[in-house]
Amino acid sequence: MARRTIVITGASDGIGAAAARALAEDGHEVVVVGRSPEKTSAVARELGADFFVADFARLAEVRSLAAQLRDRYERIDVLANNAGGIMADRQVSEDGHELTFQVNHLAPFLLTTLLLDRLEESHASVVSTSSAAHRLFSDFHVDDLESERSYAPNTAYGNAKLAVNLFTRELDRRYRAAGISAAAFHPGVVATNFAATSTSSMRVMYQTVLSRFLTSSAKGADTLVWLATTTPGVDWQPGSYYVKRKVATTHPLVSDPRLAADLWERSVEMVAADGAPGAAA
Ligand SMILES: NC(=O)c1ccc[n+]([C@@H]2O[C@H](COP(=O)([O-])OP(=O)(O)OC[C@H]3O[C@@H](n4cnc5c(N)ncnc54)[C@H](OP(=O)(O)O)[C@@H]3O)[C@@H](O)[C@H]2O)c1
């Protein structure tokens, strides 16, 4: 298989780091993106890969990341939007957005839209790490994306991952003809650092002895690696949501094209709200 340039966010730990290892082993050029400089540089050093650091709680850092990636890579064959997680009490970022929504949806939305022309030229795949939580825990209201009316960590996380699935649908609708292929996936219930700083009840499952019963990071990375290394339209269906390499059922709201379009427009406004250059679309 031809060597692909694969940018993975959240590659400093967990599922992203496992995917980076598997893809580097397969001979691909992996670009390791993380939040912690120490963890990110350690994974990159291990793989002999380039690395970039950005905290998605700050949209200015996402803009800077996009600019650095554009400068550095003429081709980006795969953008894996994998960074994310579940938070504690409701927090608002310096950009004025609820943190779960910003880190899981708005930041990858901004990164992707700032790279659109590069992704089009490269006929890239955009692979987003969603979660079954988008079906189990969401209570999605497009007029309350910031969870101002009510907030619970699990619901905010489910809503943010539902937004990731809507983004995947809308990216496919807008840019498939231009050469971009989008997919979202659920990695399974994987023993990682997930929920380590959350007040969610899920913390018990991930951060105690119970984590022994969960899937390994390497297995959790399998569908990401598969989507990143196979051919959209042949091996997988663009615009779809995958679990264990199979198309899976989404929350019914994900099939609403008006909602997907509405979320896209609102996301453009939210990432451009501070007057800085926002999304390109
Ligand atoms: N584990 C599961 O069972 C499970 C299930 C469904 C979906 N997921 C999703 O899978 C993805 C990977 O999670 P994981 O389970 O591998 O957890 P993890 O071990 O905690 O890894 C999370 C990754 O995201 C990065 N990250 C977190 N907050 C960030 C921020 N504000 N800015 C930039 N990067 C940030 C982390 O960077 P640093 O380590 O450098 O801080 C790390 O690389 C997430 O999107 C998660 O929601 C996980």
Side-chain angles (χ1 to χ4, degrees), residues 5 7 66-79 111-126 175 178-180 280:
T5 299
V7 177
Q68 292 174 72
L69 292 171
R70 296 174 68 88
D71 278 357
R72 181 70 192 253
Y73 304 102
E74 278 181 19
R75 291 186 62 80
I76 297 176
D77 299 299
V78 179
L79 171 62
L111 181 63
T112 307
T113 51
L114 288 172
L115 293 173
L116 274 174
D117 54 349
R118 185 70 85 256
L119 297 171
E120 281 183 33
E121 291 156 13
S122 311
H123 283 217
S125 297
V126 177
Y175 292 98
I180 296 177

Short mmCIF file of all heavy atoms in Angstrom, two decimals, residues 5 7 66-79 111-126 175 178-180 280:
data_model
loop_
_atom_site.label_atom_id
_atom_site.label_comp_id
_atom_site.label_asym_id
_atom_site.label_seq_id
_atom_site.Cartn_x
_atom_site.Cartn_y
_atom_site.Cartn_z
N THR A 5 0.29 10.06 4.53
CA THR A 5 0.58 11.02 5.60
C THR A 5 -0.68 11.13 6.45
O THR A 5 -1.73 11.56 5.95
CB THR A 5 0.99 12.38 5.01
OG1 THR A 5 2.17 12.19 4.23
CG2 THR A 5 1.25 13.40 6.12
N VAL A 7 -2.37 12.43 9.96
CA VAL A 7 -2.33 13.31 11.13
C VAL A 7 -3.33 12.76 12.15
O VAL A 7 -4.52 12.60 11.82
CB VAL A 7 -2.72 14.76 10.74
CG1 VAL A 7 -2.76 15.66 11.99
CG2 VAL A 7 -1.75 15.32 9.70
N ALA A 66 -3.31 24.33 12.73
CA ALA A 66 -3.70 24.22 11.31
C ALA A 66 -2.66 24.92 10.43
O ALA A 66 -2.24 24.38 9.39
CB ALA A 66 -5.08 24.82 11.10
N ALA A 67 -2.21 26.09 10.86
CA ALA A 67 -1.22 26.84 10.06
C ALA A 67 0.09 26.06 9.96
O ALA A 67 0.70 25.97 8.88
CB ALA A 67 -0.99 28.22 10.69
N GLN A 68 0.51 25.46 11.09
CA GLN A 68 1.77 24.68 11.07
C GLN A 68 1.65 23.46 10.17
O GLN A 68 2.58 23.12 9.43
CB GLN A 68 2.13 24.25 12.49
CG GLN A 68 2.50 25.39 13.41
CD GLN A 68 2.70 24.88 14.83
OE1 GLN A 68 3.68 24.19 15.13
NE2 GLN A 68 1.77 25.19 15.71
N LEU A 69 0.50 22.78 10.22
CA LEU A 69 0.31 21.59 9.39
C LEU A 69 0.31 21.98 7.90
O LEU A 69 0.88 21.28 7.06
CB LEU A 69 -1.00 20.88 9.76
CG LEU A 69 -1.03 20.22 11.15
CD1 LEU A 69 -2.44 19.73 11.49
CD2 LEU A 69 -0.04 19.05 11.23
N ARG A 70 -0.33 23.08 7.59
CA ARG A 70 -0.39 23.54 6.19
C ARG A 70 1.01 23.85 5.68
O ARG A 70 1.36 23.54 4.54
CB ARG A 70 -1.25 24.80 6.07
CG ARG A 70 -2.69 24.61 6.41
CD ARG A 70 -3.37 25.96 6.40
NE ARG A 70 -3.42 26.46 5.05
CZ ARG A 70 -4.41 26.18 4.22
NH1 ARG A 70 -5.44 25.49 4.62
NH2 ARG A 70 -4.39 26.62 2.98
N ASP A 71 1.80 24.53 6.54
CA ASP A 71 3.17 24.89 6.13
C ASP A 71 4.02 23.65 5.90
O ASP A 71 4.84 23.62 4.99
CB ASP A 71 3.86 25.70 7.25
CG ASP A 71 3.45 27.14 7.21
OD1 ASP A 71 2.69 27.51 6.30
OD2 ASP A 71 3.87 27.89 8.12
N ARG A 72 3.81 22.67 6.74
CA ARG A 72 4.73 21.54 6.78
C ARG A 72 4.40 20.44 5.75
O ARG A 72 5.30 19.80 5.21
CB ARG A 72 4.72 20.96 8.19
CG ARG A 72 5.62 19.81 8.45
CD ARG A 72 7.08 20.25 8.44
NE ARG A 72 7.94 19.10 8.42
CZ ARG A 72 8.65 18.68 9.46
NH1 ARG A 72 8.66 19.37 10.56
NH2 ARG A 72 9.39 17.60 9.37
N TYR A 73 3.09 20.23 5.47
CA TYR A 73 2.72 19.07 4.65
C TYR A 73 1.97 19.49 3.39
O TYR A 73 0.90 20.10 3.47
CB TYR A 73 1.86 18.08 5.47
CG TYR A 73 2.57 17.65 6.71
CD1 TYR A 73 2.25 18.20 7.95
CD2 TYR A 73 3.63 16.74 6.64
CE1 TYR A 73 2.94 17.85 9.09
CE2 TYR A 73 4.33 16.39 7.78
CZ TYR A 73 3.99 16.94 9.00
OH TYR A 73 4.69 16.60 10.12
N GLU A 74 2.53 19.14 2.25
CA GLU A 74 1.84 19.41 0.98
C GLU A 74 0.65 18.49 0.80
O GLU A 74 -0.31 18.84 0.11
CB GLU A 74 2.81 19.23 -0.19
CG GLU A 74 3.66 20.46 -0.39
CD GLU A 74 4.61 20.32 -1.55
OE1 GLU A 74 4.37 19.44 -2.42
OE2 GLU A 74 5.58 21.07 -1.57
N ARG A 75 0.76 17.30 1.37
CA ARG A 75 -0.36 16.34 1.33
C ARG A 75 -0.73 15.95 2.75
O ARG A 75 0.14 15.75 3.59
CB ARG A 75 0.06 15.03 0.64
CG ARG A 75 0.33 15.08 -0.81
CD ARG A 75 0.57 13.65 -1.32
NE ARG A 75 -0.61 12.81 -1.13
CZ ARG A 75 -1.66 12.82 -1.94
NH1 ARG A 75 -1.67 13.58 -2.98
NH2 ARG A 75 -2.70 12.03 -1.69
N ILE A 76 -2.02 15.86 2.98
CA ILE A 76 -2.51 15.20 4.21
C ILE A 76 -3.53 14.17 3.72
O ILE A 76 -4.60 14.53 3.25
CB ILE A 76 -3.15 16.20 5.19
CG1 ILE A 76 -2.10 17.22 5.67
CG2 ILE A 76 -3.77 15.46 6.38
CD1 ILE A 76 -2.66 18.32 6.57
N ASP A 77 -3.15 12.91 3.77
CA ASP A 77 -4.03 11.86 3.23
C ASP A 77 -5.13 11.48 4.19
O ASP A 77 -6.22 11.09 3.76
CB ASP A 77 -3.20 10.62 2.87
CG ASP A 77 -2.17 10.94 1.81
OD1 ASP A 77 -2.57 11.34 0.71
OD2 ASP A 77 -0.96 10.82 2.10
N VAL A 78 -4.83 11.57 5.49
CA VAL A 78 -5.83 11.25 6.50
C VAL A 78 -5.71 12.25 7.65
O VAL A 78 -4.61 12.51 8.14
CB VAL A 78 -5.63 9.82 7.07
CG1 VAL A 78 -6.69 9.52 8.14
CG2 VAL A 78 -5.67 8.77 5.97
N LEU A 79 -6.85 12.81 8.03
CA LEU A 79 -6.91 13.58 9.27
C LEU A 79 -7.78 12.78 10.23
O LEU A 79 -8.98 12.58 9.96
CB LEU A 79 -7.54 14.97 9.03
CG LEU A 79 -7.85 15.78 10.29
CD1 LEU A 79 -6.59 16.08 11.10
CD2 LEU A 79 -8.57 17.09 9.93
N LEU A 111 -10.31 22.79 13.03
CA LEU A 111 -9.10 22.24 12.41
C LEU A 111 -9.41 21.73 11.00
O LEU A 111 -8.69 22.03 10.04
CB LEU A 111 -8.55 21.10 13.29
CG LEU A 111 -7.28 20.42 12.79
CD1 LEU A 111 -6.11 21.41 12.74
CD2 LEU A 111 -6.91 19.23 13.67
N THR A 112 -10.49 20.99 10.88
CA THR A 112 -10.84 20.39 9.58
C THR A 112 -11.16 21.49 8.55
O THR A 112 -10.68 21.45 7.41
CB THR A 112 -12.07 19.46 9.73
OG1 THR A 112 -11.80 18.52 10.76
CG2 THR A 112 -12.37 18.73 8.43
N THR A 113 -11.94 22.46 8.96
CA THR A 113 -12.35 23.49 7.97
C THR A 113 -11.18 24.39 7.60
O THR A 113 -11.12 24.88 6.47
CB THR A 113 -13.56 24.31 8.49
OG1 THR A 113 -13.29 24.79 9.81
CG2 THR A 113 -14.82 23.48 8.50
N LEU A 114 -10.23 24.58 8.51
CA LEU A 114 -9.03 25.37 8.16
C LEU A 114 -8.10 24.60 7.22
O LEU A 114 -7.27 25.21 6.55
CB LEU A 114 -8.27 25.80 9.42
CG LEU A 114 -8.95 26.88 10.27
CD1 LEU A 114 -8.20 27.08 11.57
CD2 LEU A 114 -9.05 28.20 9.50
N LEU A 115 -8.26 23.29 7.17
CA LEU A 115 -7.41 22.47 6.29
C LEU A 115 -8.14 22.02 5.03
O LEU A 115 -7.59 21.23 4.25
CB LEU A 115 -6.93 21.22 7.06
CG LEU A 115 -5.98 21.46 8.23
CD1 LEU A 115 -5.74 20.15 9.00
CD2 LEU A 115 -4.64 22.04 7.75
N LEU A 116 -9.34 22.53 4.80
CA LEU A 116 -10.18 21.96 3.73
C LEU A 116 -9.50 21.89 2.37
O LEU A 116 -9.58 20.88 1.68
CB LEU A 116 -11.50 22.75 3.61
CG LEU A 116 -12.62 22.32 4.55
CD1 LEU A 116 -13.80 23.27 4.44
CD2 LEU A 116 -13.05 20.88 4.28
N ASP A 117 -8.83 22.97 1.97
CA ASP A 117 -8.25 22.94 0.63
C ASP A 117 -7.15 21.88 0.53
O ASP A 117 -7.05 21.16 -0.46
CB ASP A 117 -7.78 24.33 0.16
CG ASP A 117 -6.83 24.98 1.13
OD1 ASP A 117 -6.68 24.47 2.27
OD2 ASP A 117 -6.22 26.01 0.77
N ARG A 118 -6.35 21.77 1.59
CA ARG A 118 -5.30 20.74 1.60
C ARG A 118 -5.92 19.34 1.57
O ARG A 118 -5.43 18.43 0.87
CB ARG A 118 -4.44 20.91 2.87
CG ARG A 118 -3.26 19.99 2.95
CD ARG A 118 -2.15 20.33 1.94
NE ARG A 118 -1.25 21.36 2.42
CZ ARG A 118 -1.27 22.64 2.01
NH1 ARG A 118 -2.12 23.04 1.08
NH2 ARG A 118 -0.42 23.53 2.48
N LEU A 119 -7.00 19.16 2.30
CA LEU A 119 -7.68 17.85 2.33
C LEU A 119 -8.31 17.53 0.98
O LEU A 119 -8.27 16.39 0.51
CB LEU A 119 -8.74 17.84 3.44
CG LEU A 119 -8.21 18.02 4.88
CD1 LEU A 119 -9.35 18.23 5.87
CD2 LEU A 119 -7.35 16.82 5.31
N GLU A 120 -8.87 18.54 0.33
CA GLU A 120 -9.43 18.33 -1.02
C GLU A 120 -8.34 17.93 -2.00
O GLU A 120 -8.48 16.94 -2.73
CB GLU A 120 -10.10 19.63 -1.52
CG GLU A 120 -11.46 19.89 -0.96
CD GLU A 120 -12.07 21.16 -1.58
OE1 GLU A 120 -11.82 21.47 -2.75
OE2 GLU A 120 -12.81 21.84 -0.85
N GLU A 121 -7.25 18.70 -2.02
CA GLU A 121 -6.14 18.40 -2.95
C GLU A 121 -5.62 16.98 -2.74
O GLU A 121 -5.21 16.32 -3.69
CB GLU A 121 -4.96 19.35 -2.70
CG GLU A 121 -5.18 20.79 -3.08
CD GLU A 121 -4.25 21.74 -2.27
OE1 GLU A 121 -3.30 21.26 -1.61
OE2 GLU A 121 -4.54 22.94 -2.31
N SER A 122 -5.62 16.54 -1.49
CA SER A 122 -5.05 15.22 -1.15
C SER A 122 -6.06 14.09 -1.29
O SER A 122 -5.73 12.94 -1.06
CB SER A 122 -4.54 15.23 0.30
OG SER A 122 -3.74 16.35 0.56
N HIS A 123 -7.32 14.43 -1.64
CA HIS A 123 -8.41 13.43 -1.64
C HIS A 123 -8.39 12.66 -0.32
O HIS A 123 -8.33 11.43 -0.29
CB HIS A 123 -8.30 12.49 -2.84
CG HIS A 123 -8.79 13.14 -4.10
ND1 HIS A 123 -9.47 12.50 -5.07
CD2 HIS A 123 -8.71 14.42 -4.51
CE1 HIS A 123 -9.79 13.34 -6.04
NE2 HIS A 123 -9.33 14.53 -5.72
N ALA A 124 -8.43 13.43 0.75
CA ALA A 124 -8.19 12.87 2.09
C ALA A 124 -9.42 12.19 2.67
O ALA A 124 -10.56 12.47 2.30
CB ALA A 124 -7.76 14.00 3.03
N SER A 125 -9.13 11.33 3.65
CA SER A 125 -10.17 10.79 4.53
C SER A 125 -10.12 11.56 5.85
O SER A 125 -9.03 11.81 6.37
CB SER A 125 -9.93 9.31 4.82
OG SER A 125 -10.02 8.56 3.63
N VAL A 126 -11.28 11.92 6.36
CA VAL A 126 -11.38 12.55 7.69
C VAL A 126 -12.11 11.56 8.60
O VAL A 126 -13.30 11.28 8.39
CB VAL A 126 -12.12 13.90 7.63
CG1 VAL A 126 -12.28 14.49 9.03
CG2 VAL A 126 -11.38 14.88 6.70
N TYR A 175 -18.58 17.94 0.86
CA TYR A 175 -17.25 17.83 0.25
C TYR A 175 -16.93 16.49 -0.39
O TYR A 175 -15.82 16.31 -0.86
CB TYR A 175 -16.17 18.21 1.28
CG TYR A 175 -16.24 19.68 1.61
CD1 TYR A 175 -16.91 20.13 2.75
CD2 TYR A 175 -15.71 20.63 0.75
CE1 TYR A 175 -17.02 21.48 3.02
CE2 TYR A 175 -15.81 21.98 1.01
CZ TYR A 175 -16.47 22.40 2.15
OH TYR A 175 -16.58 23.74 2.40
N ALA A 178 -15.87 16.97 -3.87
CA ALA A 178 -14.58 17.65 -3.97
C ALA A 178 -13.42 16.72 -3.60
O ALA A 178 -12.26 17.11 -3.66
CB ALA A 178 -14.56 18.88 -3.06
N GLY A 179 -13.75 15.49 -3.17
CA GLY A 179 -12.69 14.50 -2.93
C GLY A 179 -12.46 14.12 -1.49
O GLY A 179 -11.59 13.30 -1.20
N ILE A 180 -13.22 14.72 -0.56
CA ILE A 180 -13.01 14.37 0.86
C ILE A 180 -13.99 13.25 1.26
O ILE A 180 -15.17 13.30 0.91
CB ILE A 180 -13.22 15.60 1.77
CG1 ILE A 180 -12.15 16.67 1.45
CG2 ILE A 180 -13.17 15.21 3.24
CD1 ILE A 180 -12.30 17.95 2.23
N ALA A 280 -13.18 28.09 7.11
CA ALA A 280 -13.12 28.55 5.73
C ALA A 280 -14.39 28.25 4.98
O ALA A 280 -14.50 28.57 3.81
CB ALA A 280 -11.93 27.88 5.05
#
